[in-house]
Amino acid sequence: MSVWLPTAPCRPETCLAEPSPEVSHPRRVLRLTACLAAVLAGVVLSLPARLLPQGGRDRLVRLWARLVLRTLGVTVQLTGSGGGPGGGGVLVVANHVSWLDIPLLAAGRPGRSLAKTEVRQWPVLGRLVAWGGTVFLDRDRLRTLPDTVAAVAEVLRSGHPVIVFPEGSTWCGRESGRFRPALFQAAVAAGAFVQPVTIRYRLADGRPTSVPAFIGDDGLLTSLARVVAARGLVAEVTFLPPIPPPTPQPTRAGARRELARAAQAAVEGIH
């Protein structure tokens, strides 16, 4: 457990209790099989995909992410457009509910991701995200944070978007955490725009659901089993207008805090 990042109070036994419609067991097996095939296809294509120009690579990632979500039975509704003025380096920040958030954002705005080092150890997916240029953060070693921020800033300067979840932990969707300002320093240092994104999950009848939430002591396979069992799961992703870096800039700490507050206010305004 991280000694410095926040821990959400959300727990499976308290936040995942509401009943939701489920598909049959054969349907779940089909979903799992199709998802595994899609993920393995992503692994196979990840190396030759590097030879494509950036635009072609982004289109391929979008198609692959949407395919993975479709195999899991998730209906995706994208609103707004990804990217800052002129495209290129933009810090994409979103509320964090589930591991599903990552392919959801890739379906609308592919980019380099920031992920905890534990993700490297995930079967198959760990290697895939590493090959995708993910920047890894060791949440148990605070002294590595400045180097991580510098690495994110360098990616932004190179013209590539970076996706981060500044709450520092996953939440159930009913509750949310404060946007931590540390990683917003990368946008300040690079002079990059920040694009807030809101992620919400609901059922086909419109009821909000916490079924996809990946919280507390949840394991990846346990969470995956809940997702493939759900009937009518809908993910709503809203890309909000980009926020420019503060000008004139206050102190470095003030600039990143200002960006964090503005991004959180934008996301909470949609909730």
PDB file of all heavy atoms in Angstrom, residues 9-27:
ATOM      1  N   PRO A   9     -12.142   5.468   0.619  1.00  0.00           N
ATOM      2  CA  PRO A   9     -12.889   4.698   1.611  1.00  0.00           C
ATOM      3  C   PRO A   9     -13.799   3.642   0.979  1.00  0.00           C
ATOM      4  O   PRO A   9     -14.403   2.845   1.691  1.00  0.00           O
ATOM      5  CB  PRO A   9     -13.715   5.771   2.321  1.00  0.00           C
ATOM      6  CG  PRO A   9     -13.916   6.832   1.296  1.00  0.00           C
ATOM      7  CD  PRO A   9     -12.651   6.846   0.483  1.00  0.00           C
ATOM      8  N   CYS A  10     -13.905   3.629  -0.341  1.00  0.00           N
ATOM      9  CA  CYS A  10     -14.793   2.695  -1.038  1.00  0.00           C
ATOM     10  C   CYS A  10     -14.306   1.258  -0.854  1.00  0.00           C
ATOM     11  O   CYS A  10     -13.119   0.966  -0.994  1.00  0.00           O
ATOM     12  CB  CYS A  10     -14.846   3.024  -2.527  1.00  0.00           C
ATOM     13  SG  CYS A  10     -15.277   4.737  -2.901  1.00  0.00           S
ATOM     14  N   ARG A  11     -15.243   0.361  -0.554  1.00  0.00           N
ATOM     15  CA  ARG A  11     -14.933  -1.047  -0.389  1.00  0.00           C
ATOM     16  C   ARG A  11     -15.993  -1.887  -1.097  1.00  0.00           C
ATOM     17  O   ARG A  11     -17.159  -1.493  -1.160  1.00  0.00           O
ATOM     18  CB  ARG A  11     -14.910  -1.418   1.097  1.00  0.00           C
ATOM     19  CG  ARG A  11     -13.756  -0.776   1.881  1.00  0.00           C
ATOM     20  CD  ARG A  11     -12.421  -1.365   1.442  1.00  0.00           C
ATOM     21  NE  ARG A  11     -11.301  -0.771   2.165  1.00  0.00           N
ATOM     22  CZ  ARG A  11     -10.641   0.304   1.757  1.00  0.00           C
ATOM     23  NH1 ARG A  11     -10.995   0.908   0.638  1.00  0.00           N
ATOM     24  NH2 ARG A  11      -9.622   0.768   2.447  1.00  0.00           N
ATOM     25  N   PRO A  12     -15.611  -3.055  -1.650  1.00  0.00           N
ATOM     26  CA  PRO A  12     -16.588  -3.892  -2.364  1.00  0.00           C
ATOM     27  C   PRO A  12     -17.819  -4.219  -1.530  1.00  0.00           C
ATOM     28  O   PRO A  12     -18.943  -4.218  -2.034  1.00  0.00           O
ATOM     29  CB  PRO A  12     -15.786  -5.146  -2.707  1.00  0.00           C
ATOM     30  CG  PRO A  12     -14.367  -4.687  -2.774  1.00  0.00           C
ATOM     31  CD  PRO A  12     -14.249  -3.619  -1.722  1.00  0.00           C
ATOM     32  N   GLU A  13     -17.626  -4.505  -0.248  1.00  0.00           N
ATOM     33  CA  GLU A  13     -18.748  -4.931   0.577  1.00  0.00           C
ATOM     34  C   GLU A  13     -19.758  -3.811   0.839  1.00  0.00           C
ATOM     35  O   GLU A  13     -20.907  -4.071   1.177  1.00  0.00           O
ATOM     36  CB  GLU A  13     -18.246  -5.502   1.911  1.00  0.00           C
ATOM     37  CG  GLU A  13     -17.450  -4.523   2.761  1.00  0.00           C
ATOM     38  CD  GLU A  13     -15.957  -4.571   2.440  1.00  0.00           C
ATOM     39  OE1 GLU A  13     -15.601  -5.097   1.366  1.00  0.00           O
ATOM     40  OE2 GLU A  13     -15.178  -4.068   3.267  1.00  0.00           O
ATOM     41  N   THR A  14     -19.335  -2.541   0.664  1.00  0.00           N
ATOM     42  CA  THR A  14     -20.252  -1.425   0.914  1.00  0.00           C
ATOM     43  C   THR A  14     -20.674  -0.700  -0.354  1.00  0.00           C
ATOM     44  O   THR A  14     -21.736  -0.092  -0.388  1.00  0.00           O
ATOM     45  CB  THR A  14     -19.609  -0.413   1.880  1.00  0.00           C
ATOM     46  OG1 THR A  14     -18.361   0.045   1.324  1.00  0.00           O
ATOM     47  CG2 THR A  14     -19.367  -1.040   3.237  1.00  0.00           C
ATOM     48  N   CYS A  15     -19.835  -0.757  -1.383  1.00  0.00           N
ATOM     49  CA  CYS A  15     -20.099   0.044  -2.584  1.00  0.00           C
ATOM     50  C   CYS A  15     -20.627  -0.767  -3.760  1.00  0.00           C
ATOM     51  O   CYS A  15     -21.074  -0.191  -4.755  1.00  0.00           O
ATOM     52  CB  CYS A  15     -18.821   0.756  -3.026  1.00  0.00           C
ATOM     53  SG  CYS A  15     -18.193   1.945  -1.829  1.00  0.00           S
ATOM     54  N   LEU A  16     -20.558  -2.086  -3.704  1.00  0.00           N
ATOM     55  CA  LEU A  16     -20.954  -2.919  -4.839  1.00  0.00           C
ATOM     56  C   LEU A  16     -22.152  -3.791  -4.501  1.00  0.00           C
ATOM     57  O   LEU A  16     -22.350  -4.849  -5.064  1.00  0.00           O
ATOM     58  CB  LEU A  16     -19.781  -3.808  -5.267  1.00  0.00           C
ATOM     59  CG  LEU A  16     -18.463  -3.098  -5.564  1.00  0.00           C
ATOM     60  CD1 LEU A  16     -17.384  -4.106  -5.904  1.00  0.00           C
ATOM     61  CD2 LEU A  16     -18.625  -2.093  -6.691  1.00  0.00           C
ATOM     62  N   ALA A  17     -22.959  -3.306  -3.575  1.00  0.00           N
ATOM     63  CA  ALA A  17     -24.030  -4.159  -3.053  1.00  0.00           C
ATOM     64  C   ALA A  17     -25.312  -4.120  -3.873  1.00  0.00           C
ATOM     65  O   ALA A  17     -26.154  -5.005  -3.750  1.00  0.00           O
ATOM     66  CB  ALA A  17     -24.345  -3.758  -1.605  1.00  0.00           C
ATOM     67  N   GLU A  18     -25.500  -3.101  -4.712  1.00  0.00           N
ATOM     68  CA  GLU A  18     -26.785  -2.989  -5.387  1.00  0.00           C
ATOM     69  C   GLU A  18     -26.951  -4.084  -6.443  1.00  0.00           C
ATOM     70  O   GLU A  18     -25.989  -4.439  -7.144  1.00  0.00           O
ATOM     71  CB  GLU A  18     -26.944  -1.597  -6.022  1.00  0.00           C
ATOM     72  CG  GLU A  18     -26.351  -1.437  -7.415  1.00  0.00           C
ATOM     73  CD  GLU A  18     -24.859  -1.147  -7.391  1.00  0.00           C
ATOM     74  OE1 GLU A  18     -24.276  -1.091  -6.300  1.00  0.00           O
ATOM     75  OE2 GLU A  18     -24.273  -0.985  -8.477  1.00  0.00           O
ATOM     76  N   PRO A  19     -28.130  -4.668  -6.555  1.00  0.00           N
ATOM     77  CA  PRO A  19     -28.356  -5.709  -7.565  1.00  0.00           C
ATOM     78  C   PRO A  19     -28.372  -5.105  -8.966  1.00  0.00           C
ATOM     79  O   PRO A  19     -28.755  -3.951  -9.161  1.00  0.00           O
ATOM     80  CB  PRO A  19     -29.730  -6.264  -7.188  1.00  0.00           C
ATOM     81  CG  PRO A  19     -30.415  -5.141  -6.484  1.00  0.00           C
ATOM     82  CD  PRO A  19     -29.338  -4.388  -5.755  1.00  0.00           C
ATOM     83  N   SER A  20     -27.922  -5.862  -9.933  1.00  0.00           N
ATOM     84  CA  SER A  20     -27.954  -5.411 -11.323  1.00  0.00           C
ATOM     85  C   SER A  20     -28.240  -6.609 -12.207  1.00  0.00           C
ATOM     86  O   SER A  20     -27.898  -7.750 -11.863  1.00  0.00           O
ATOM     87  CB  SER A  20     -26.621  -4.764 -11.717  1.00  0.00           C
ATOM     88  OG  SER A  20     -25.561  -5.675 -11.564  1.00  0.00           O
ATOM     89  N   PRO A  21     -28.866  -6.395 -13.354  1.00  0.00           N
ATOM     90  CA  PRO A  21     -29.174  -7.518 -14.246  1.00  0.00           C
ATOM     91  C   PRO A  21     -27.905  -8.181 -14.759  1.00  0.00           C
ATOM     92  O   PRO A  21     -26.896  -7.514 -14.986  1.00  0.00           O
ATOM     93  CB  PRO A  21     -29.970  -6.857 -15.379  1.00  0.00           C
ATOM     94  CG  PRO A  21     -29.666  -5.405 -15.292  1.00  0.00           C
ATOM     95  CD  PRO A  21     -29.361  -5.098 -13.878  1.00  0.00           C
ATOM     96  N   GLU A  22     -27.960  -9.501 -14.938  1.00  0.00           N
ATOM     97  CA  GLU A  22     -26.790 -10.250 -15.369  1.00  0.00           C
ATOM     98  C   GLU A  22     -27.112 -11.111 -16.576  1.00  0.00           C
ATOM     99  O   GLU A  22     -28.270 -11.497 -16.795  1.00  0.00           O
ATOM    100  CB  GLU A  22     -26.268 -11.133 -14.224  1.00  0.00           C
ATOM    101  CG  GLU A  22     -25.774 -10.338 -13.025  1.00  0.00           C
ATOM    102  CD  GLU A  22     -25.162 -11.240 -11.961  1.00  0.00           C
ATOM    103  OE1 GLU A  22     -25.447 -12.467 -11.985  1.00  0.00           O
ATOM    104  OE2 GLU A  22     -24.404 -10.729 -11.119  1.00  0.00           O
ATOM    105  N   VAL A  23     -26.092 -11.411 -17.349  1.00  0.00           N
ATOM    106  CA  VAL A  23     -26.246 -12.282 -18.513  1.00  0.00           C
ATOM    107  C   VAL A  23     -26.020 -13.734 -18.067  1.00  0.00           C
ATOM    108  O   VAL A  23     -25.559 -14.000 -16.958  1.00  0.00           O
ATOM    109  CB  VAL A  23     -25.244 -11.906 -19.628  1.00  0.00           C
ATOM    110  CG1 VAL A  23     -25.495 -10.485 -20.105  1.00  0.00           C
ATOM    111  CG2 VAL A  23     -23.803 -12.068 -19.150  1.00  0.00           C
ATOM    112  N   SER A  24     -26.339 -14.671 -18.949  1.00  0.00           N
ATOM    113  CA  SER A  24     -26.194 -16.087 -18.629  1.00  0.00           C
ATOM    114  C   SER A  24     -24.716 -16.471 -18.525  1.00  0.00           C
ATOM    115  O   SER A  24     -23.828 -15.771 -19.036  1.00  0.00           O
ATOM    116  CB  SER A  24     -26.860 -16.935 -19.703  1.00  0.00           C
ATOM    117  OG  SER A  24     -26.177 -16.776 -20.939  1.00  0.00           O
ATOM    118  N   HIS A  25     -24.444 -17.607 -17.900  1.00  0.00           N
ATOM    119  CA  HIS A  25     -23.063 -18.072 -17.766  1.00  0.00           C
ATOM    120  C   HIS A  25     -22.407 -18.377 -19.123  1.00  0.00           C
ATOM    121  O   HIS A  25     -21.222 -18.034 -19.318  1.00  0.00           O
ATOM    122  CB  HIS A  25     -23.010 -19.289 -16.842  1.00  0.00           C
ATOM    123  CG  HIS A  25     -23.199 -18.929 -15.396  1.00  0.00           C
ATOM    124  ND1 HIS A  25     -22.192 -18.427 -14.615  1.00  0.00           N
ATOM    125  CD2 HIS A  25     -24.302 -18.976 -14.598  1.00  0.00           C
ATOM    126  CE1 HIS A  25     -22.650 -18.189 -13.396  1.00  0.00           C
ATOM    127  NE2 HIS A  25     -23.923 -18.520 -13.362  1.00  0.00           N
ATOM    128  N   PRO A  26     -23.099 -19.006 -20.076  1.00  0.00           N
ATOM    129  CA  PRO A  26     -22.472 -19.192 -21.391  1.00  0.00           C
ATOM    130  C   PRO A  26     -22.083 -17.864 -22.048  1.00  0.00           C
ATOM    131  O   PRO A  26     -21.035 -17.764 -22.694  1.00  0.00           O
ATOM    132  CB  PRO A  26     -23.560 -19.919 -22.193  1.00  0.00           C
ATOM    133  CG  PRO A  26     -24.365 -20.640 -21.166  1.00  0.00           C
ATOM    134  CD  PRO A  26     -24.398 -19.724 -19.983  1.00  0.00           C
ATOM    135  N   ARG A  27     -22.925 -16.843 -21.863  1.00  0.00           N
ATOM    136  CA  ARG A  27     -22.610 -15.526 -22.439  1.00  0.00           C
ATOM    137  C   ARG A  27     -21.354 -14.948 -21.784  1.00  0.00           C
ATOM    138  O   ARG A  27     -20.533 -14.318 -22.450  1.00  0.00           O
ATOM    139  CB  ARG A  27     -23.806 -14.591 -22.232  1.00  0.00           C
ATOM    140  CG  ARG A  27     -23.648 -13.220 -22.881  1.00  0.00           C
ATOM    141  CD  ARG A  27     -23.677 -13.324 -24.399  1.00  0.00           C
ATOM    142  NE  ARG A  27     -23.661 -12.031 -25.038  1.00  0.00           N
ATOM    143  CZ  ARG A  27     -24.748 -11.325 -25.326  1.00  0.00           C
ATOM    144  NH1 ARG A  27     -25.955 -11.824 -25.024  1.00  0.00           N
ATOM    145  NH2 ARG A  27     -24.670 -10.163 -25.926  1.00  0.00           N
TER     146      ARG A  27
END
